[in-house]
């Protein structure tokens, strides 16, 4: 794969699709600002230049939707994206919006781009599904997966440059590999770890003060403390165990990566709640082991914050 | 493991286990390897993991010797009683 699409932000991916569609349909493809989009990321009205072919191009209103994921190796037929029964899958949520646009005569053709793999069978099935649900002809629906996206970008090599896929602008992305090893080991040893009463000689600041410095909201901080503080001794004991030396090294490399990425990628206005929730989502999306131990992963992130391995300034005290 | 870090527990470090070993060996002068290991394991959590590094540490400081014939560890440091 030429581009690490999963490392892009949603906005960057949308931008890429808009530029690509300007090549396929016409220069007047219109992208929209961030916010409620009513089921459209971009729109084109008129006769397409190239799509689906020069001899029989689409004519009318084409609605373009980009669905980006941070996950690796995802595909269109995963239940969180498409499932006939599910009411919460990405497509299930999209269908009413398409229907509405169709009813208001604001949609003749529909294009869906995603950085997921798209197999032939899934393509036919999903196309048929959208067609029957929204009353759009099958030939007016186009689904584009990862493989086809790669081909398009090879055909139009200037598109990624136009979309300004600058790695410096990419969102806060961290690697979950080491953390998943720690969580797996922790999950194995959790019940066998003895409780050790510890009184570490560290200068502490109050939790409230720490939250203020890090811009964490009062409600979020309270909820975090209520749920996860009682669990932190497990992690402390686990990391202090001499037999877990290698895991401690891994933990240290994880917090180093998290902390440095947070410092560089965090915008001034972002609350720490958002940063933590974003990290959690990212980790769950990317790693099946972390997804299998959601609570432990959250406890681990809280521990990192609590002991000031991530976030700013000294360790937070209990009250 | 030797130097304490932010995450290490003071009781579960090579230094602490070395201290326990030294304390015991100064008292009894010589002790069977297996028995010594058991003693340390009883005294501190994770002691079995730290036992060998602590013993090596004491050997490097010239405070203990291993006697292969009897499979025992002997205190060879300065004798404060003399």
């Amino acid at each position: 794969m030429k581009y690490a699409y999963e490392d892009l932000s949603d906005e960057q991916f949308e931008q890429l699709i808009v530029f690509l569609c300007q090549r396929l349909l016409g220069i007047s493809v219109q992208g929209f600002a961030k916010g409620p989009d009513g089921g459209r990321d971009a729109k084109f009205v008129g006769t397409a230049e190239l799509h689906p072919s020069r001899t029989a191009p689409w004519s009318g209103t084409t609605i373009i939707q980009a669905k980006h994921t941070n996950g690796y190796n995802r595909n269109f037929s995963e239940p969180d994206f498409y499932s006939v029964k599910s009411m919460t899958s990405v497509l299930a949520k999209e269908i009413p919006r398409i229907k509405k646009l169709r009813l208001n005569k604001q949609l003749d053709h529909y294009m869906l781009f995603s950085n997921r793999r798209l197999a032939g069978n899934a393509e036919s099935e999903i196309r048929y599904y959208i067609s029957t649900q929204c009353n759009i002809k099958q030939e007016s629906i186009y689904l584009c997966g990862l493989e086809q996206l790669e081909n398009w970008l090879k055909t139009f090599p200037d598109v990624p440059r136009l979309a300004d896929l600058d790695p410096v602008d990419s969102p806060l992305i961290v690697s979950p590999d080491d953390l998943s090893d720690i969580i797996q080991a922790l999950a194995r040893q959790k019940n066998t770890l003895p409780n050790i009463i510890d009184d570490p000689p560290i200068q502490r600041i109050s939790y409230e003060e720490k939250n203020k410095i890090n811009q964490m909201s009062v409600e979020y901080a309270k909820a975090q403390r209520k749920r996860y503080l009682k669990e932190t001794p497990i992690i402390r004991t686990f990391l202090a165990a001499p037999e877990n030396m290698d895991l401690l090294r891994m933990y240290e490399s994880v917090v180093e990566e998290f902390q440095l990425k947070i410092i560089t990628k965090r915008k001034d206005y972002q609350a720490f709640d958002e940063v933590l929730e974003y990290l959690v989502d990212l980790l769950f999306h990317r790693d099946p082991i972390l997804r299998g131990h959601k609570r432990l992963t959250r406890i681990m992130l809280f521990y990192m914050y609590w002991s000031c391995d991530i976030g700013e300034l000294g360790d937070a005290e209990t009250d | 493991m030797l130097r304490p870090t932010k995450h290490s527990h003071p009781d579960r470090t090579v230094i602490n286990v070395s201290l326990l070993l030294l304390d015991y060996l100064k008292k009894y002068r010589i002790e069977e390897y297996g028995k010594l290991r058991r003693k340390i394991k009883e005294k501190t959590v994770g002691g079995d993991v730290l036992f060998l590094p602590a013993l090596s540490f004491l050997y490097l400081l010239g405070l203990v010797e291993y006697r292969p014939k009897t499979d025992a560890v002997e205190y060879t440091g300065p004798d404060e009683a003399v």
Side-chain angles (χ1 to χ4, degrees):
Chain A
M1 208 165 62
K2 202 172 172 192
Y3 297 99
Y5 302 97
E6 63 278 349
D7 285 351
L8 299 178
S9 66
D10 292 354
E11 290 80 35
Q12 279 180 316
F13 185 71
E14 262 176 42
Q15 196 67 26
L16 181 74
I17 299 305
V18 169
F19 279 107
L20 176 63
C21 288
Q22 286 185 346
R23 287 284 182 285
L24 296 173
L25 306 174
I27 198 71
S28 67
V29 167
Q30 190 183 4
F32 298 110
K34 207 180 160 190
D37 57 17
R40 61 205 147 171
D41 288 323
K43 187 167 98 169
F44 173 75
V45 184
T47 304
E49 258 179 52
L50 291 175
H51 195 78
S53 70
R54 269 188 209 279
T55 46
W58 278 353
S59 185
T61 306
T62 305
I63 294 297
I64 299 140
Q65 186 65 266
K67 289 288 171 201
H68 177 250
T69 170
N70 281 129
Y72 288 120
N73 281 330
R74 308 301 298 269
N75 61 61
F76 270 69
S77 30
E78 281 173 65
D80 68 323
F81 188 79
Y82 161 68
S83 159
V84 180
K85 288 173 196 160
S86 167
M87 301 298 289
T88 54
S89 70
V90 173
L91 265 185
K93 284 185 195 161
E94 213 54 49
I95 293 291
R97 296 175 191 153
I98 307 172
K99 267 185 190 168
K100 197 176 166 196
L101 288 170
R102 183 79 179 141
L103 274 173
N104 295 339
K105 298 196 186 327
Q106 289 176 329
L107 185 154
D108 297 312
H109 312 282
Y110 184 71
M111 294 177 107
L112 178 67
F113 293 82
S114 182
N115 60 327
R116 293 167 178 263
R117 299 188 180 282
L118 179 60
N121 284 348
E123 197 270 345
S124 314
E125 201 181 322
I126 297 171
R127 190 202 281 247
Y128 176 75
Y129 175 70
I130 298 176
S131 167
T132 48
Q133 291 284 318
C134 307
N135 188 28
I136 309 172
K137 282 187 286 179
Q138 283 205 50
E139 51 269 33
S140 286
I141 298 170
Y142 177 71
L143 303 174
C144 179
L146 204 53
E147 301 79 2
Q148 184 57 35
L149 193 58
E150 281 284 284
N151 289 341
W152 284 129
L153 296 186
K154 275 179 197 153
T155 315
F156 306 110
D158 54 330
V159 165
R161 189 177 46 78
L162 285 171
D164 206 13
L165 298 190
D166 187 348
V168 174
D169 278 341
S170 67
L172 169 58
I173 298 280
V174 292
S175 149
D177 304 351
D178 285 352
L179 184 63
S180 83
D181 285 354
I182 304 168
I183 294 285
Q184 209 173 18
L186 181 61
R188 267 201 310 269
Q189 294 186 24
K190 205 172 93 165
N191 298 328
T192 59
L193 288 170
N195 283 326
I196 292 178
I197 296 157
D198 195 7
D199 190 14
I202 302 166
Q203 268 294 338
R204 291 183 162 240
I205 59 164
S206 76
Y207 188 48
E208 285 73 24
E209 206 177 324
K210 185 179 165 68
N211 297 334
K212 231 181 262 169
I213 293 162
N214 285 291
Q215 295 173 45
M216 185 185 272
S217 74
V218 179
E219 296 81 15
Y220 188 81
K222 253 190 192 168
Q224 286 265 91
R225 185 168 64 177
K226 193 176 144 201
R227 281 163 200 271
Y228 306 130
L229 182 61
K230 60 182 184 299
E231 314 279 4
T232 51
I234 299 173
I235 298 177
R236 195 167 57 229
T237 313
F238 175 80
L239 292 177
E243 58 269 32
N244 292 335
M245 266 287 284
D246 295 339
L247 293 163
L248 177 62
R249 295 272 168 277
M250 281 165 117
Y251 173 86
E252 281 167 350
S253 73
V254 169
V255 291
E256 191 174 297
E257 189 190 352
F258 280 21
Q259 174 69 337
L260 293 177
K261 292 265 175 159
I262 290 171
I263 291 171
T264 47
K265 293 292 173 194
R266 189 180 168 194
K267 308 272 190 301
D268 292 338
Y269 57 86
Q270 280 171 346
F272 212 78
D273 325 9
E274 288 171 29
V275 176
L276 280 183
E277 284 306 303
Y278 175 81
L279 272 179
V280 166
D281 284 346
L282 183 77
L283 295 171
F284 289 165
H285 266 108
R286 291 203 152 185
D287 199 294
I289 293 171
L290 298 181
R291 219 168 25 245
H293 297 287
K294 284 188 174 174
R295 189 168 156 76
L296 264 185
T297 308
R298 279 188 177 276
I299 295 168
M300 184 62 97
L301 277 176
F302 175 72
Y303 180 83
M304 286 177 183
Y305 178 74
W306 182 259
S307 56
C308 215
D309 290 324
I310 56 174
E312 284 170 44
L313 273 184
D315 282 10
E317 61 187 16
T318 316
D319 29 58
Chain B
M1 208 186 275
L2 187 59
R3 284 188 305 175
T5 66
K6 179 175 183 177
H7 301 284
S8 63
H9 190 281
D11 290 350
R12 307 176 83 185
T13 55
V14 171
I15 297 283
N16 183 50
V17 173
S18 302
L19 188 73
L20 294 173
L21 272 171
L22 213 52
D23 197 37
Y24 185 88
L25 284 172
K26 267 188 165 180
K27 205 166 162 189
Y28 296 98
R29 312 300 296 184
I30 190 157
E31 186 57 276
E32 214 180 289
Y33 181 90
K35 205 173 167 191
L36 197 58
R37 192 164 185 270
R38 266 201 307 281
K39 283 273 167 211
I40 294 301
K41 198 178 166 184
E42 279 165 22
K43 285 199 169 188
T44 181
V45 185
D48 48 339
V49 182
L50 294 167
F51 176 71
L52 208 53
L55 210 55
S56 306
F57 180 59
L58 292 180
Y59 174 76
L60 286 173
L61 293 177
L63 295 172
V64 296
E65 280 290 340
Y66 175 64
R67 307 289 178 216
K69 276 188 184 168
T70 48
D71 186 31
V73 181
E74 187 183 351
Y75 175 70
T76 53
D79 199 340
E80 284 140 15
V82 179

